[in-house]
Amino acid sequence: FYNITCQPDWWNTTANIARDLSLLGVGYIDLMLVHWPCKTKEQSLATYLEIEKMVQQGTARAVGVSNFKSDDLEYILNHSTIPPAVNQCQFSIGKHDDVTLQYCKAHNITYQAWSPLGGLSGVDVLNDPDVKHIANSHGVSAAQVALRWVLQAGSIFVTAALKKEYLQEDLSLFSFELTDDEFDLLASK
């Protein structure tokens, strides 16, 4: 996927997208995201509509957004032809926008969590006593509990790992499930 932003030098969206496709040496992008809402809903929509044209022309397979709230999404949906495939937002234990998540679910927009381990949430998720207790009770790592919580909340996630064992942990997230009480405890943070 590829992100574009709403900076003044990006207001010629069509030319900038063509330039970037050329620089990347590709004929299309799988998923093109508007990275943040612009200063106005009208600017966000104008940027979104340019990417929508890419889908219609075959230079993007899907269009999405990042960090849009439910009112931003509502404006896009009311003024565009193609609904966003994805809304990529910060979502973790301690930092979650449940209203936008529910809006996305209701409108069939995939909600994708960035920073699912809480790096920017203000909660030290991996060292949180409740997360560690739940991890011990399931025989898994704190990271697995945090990622499992994101999945059970109804979001997919983006994460990265430098070590093979972390990638293997990510693949075994379906080997356990948080109880309702565990989930609710973590959701209250």
Side-chain angles (χ1 to χ4, degrees), residues 38-182:
C38 301
K39 289 182 181 180
T40 69
K41 287 184 176 19
E42 293 78 15
Q43 288 174 338
S44 294
L45 177 64
T47 302
Y48 186 90
L49 292 175
E50 288 302 314
I51 300 171
E52 192 175 76
K53 287 179 191 174
M54 290 179 63
V55 173
Q56 294 163 345
Q57 296 166 353
T59 53
R61 291 191 177 168
V63 60
V65 295
S66 188
N67 305 301
F68 277 48
K69 301 290 186 190
S70 54
D71 63 316
D72 299 314
L73 293 166
E74 184 77 22
Y75 191 80
I76 294 291
L77 287 173
N78 286 335
H79 296 90
S80 65
T81 305
I82 302 170
V86 174
N87 186 19
Q88 187 183 77
C89 299
Q90 183 177 4
F91 193 86
S92 66
I93 296 168
K95 182 71 172 187
H96 43 96
D97 179 353
D98 299 327
V99 171
T100 300
L101 173 66
Q102 292 308 316
Y103 184 90
C104 287
K105 286 181 181 180
H107 292 85
N108 202 28
I109 300 168
T110 299
Y111 195 95
Q112 185 179 48
W114 60 263
S115 195
L117 298 178
L120 303 173
S121 70
V123 174
D124 186 2
V125 173
L126 300 181
N127 290 306
D128 180 90
D130 293 322
V131 173
K132 289 173 88 172
H133 174 76
I134 293 168
N136 286 336
S137 71
H138 288 280
V140 298
S141 71
Q144 285 175 293
V145 169
L147 295 176
R148 182 66 201 189
W149 181 85
V150 168
L151 288 175
Q152 282 185 225
S155 178
I156 60 172
F157 59 84
V158 175
T159 190
L162 298 175
K163 296 184 178 182
K164 183 179 179 179
E165 57 267 22
Y166 294 158
L167 292 171
Q168 290 170 328
E169 281 185 5
D170 290 353
L171 294 173
S172 65
L173 291 177
F174 297 99
S175 66
F176 73 102
E177 188 170 323
L178 301 174
T179 67
D180 289 343
D181 289 341
E182 291 168 336

